[in-house]
Amino acid sequence: EAASAHCDGPCGVYDPASARIAAEASLSMTKKILALEMPAAGDGHAMAAYMNSMSRYIAIKEEQTHLAKEELLVLWTDYFKPHHLEAYPNLHDTFWKAGKLCSAVKVEVSLQHAQELMDAIKEIHEIFWATKGRDVPWTTSS
């Protein structure tokens, strides 16, 4: 008997929520980085705490943005099929731009790009659930 699967494993479980959660964490870390105030010169303990917080925020932003990019790539390459592209001709461009935004969020500390990434994932969320004939509301954690 022949069997087929549309991805590496035939689980059939896809959801853009994982990309949204990761991108939302990146947005949160971007906000925290921008809000962090450098301590006065000469305060070694405060500077150590500042550097510790800054490095943690950066590490989390990098990790979560990369995760968002991976999750988007799986949706793009494993879930969406040619008939989806016929129904949504901007699908490739939407994913390509979202991937580029992931890169921008990693490279920069830009609230604008972090929010644009969330907006792109919202668009992907809407397309994804429309392909399943379901109206799943866009909900964020923060």
Side-chain angles (χ1 to χ4, degrees), residues 39-45:
D43 187 345
H45 290 293

Side-chain angles (χ1 to χ4, degrees), residues 1-113:
E1 288 184 41
S4 64
H6 58 89
C7 67
D8 296 339
C11 67
V13 178
Y14 295 97
D15 192 328
S18 53
R20 191 248 328 139
I21 292 166
E24 194 172 357
S26 299
L27 175 61
S28 174
M29 291 300 106
T30 298
K31 290 176 182 177
K32 288 180 182 298
I33 290 167
L34 292 170
L36 197 58
E37 293 187 27
M38 185 175 276
D43 187 345
H45 290 293
M47 183 57 80
Y50 169 85
M51 296 297 286
N52 183 67
S53 293
M54 181 65 78
S55 63
R56 291 182 70 231
Y57 297 163
I58 292 168
I60 293 167
K61 181 177 74 77
E62 292 284 316
E63 176 185 282
Q64 292 300 305
T65 307
H66 185 76
L67 180 58
K69 195 174 201 177
E70 287 179 345
E71 294 292 339
L72 290 170
L73 183 61
V74 168
L75 277 176
W76 188 14
T77 59
D78 291 355
Y79 173 75
F80 287 101
K81 302 292 171 240
H83 68 277
H84 295 129
L85 187 58
E86 291 172 14
Y88 301 94
N90 66 332
L91 189 66
H92 286 320
D93 192 54
T94 301
F95 271 96
W96 183 79
K97 286 178 180 174
K100 290 297 185 183
L101 282 166
C102 286
S103 296
V105 171
K106 286 180 72 174
V107 170
E108 304 167 353
V109 181
S110 169
L111 191 56
Q112 177 184 339
H113 285 146

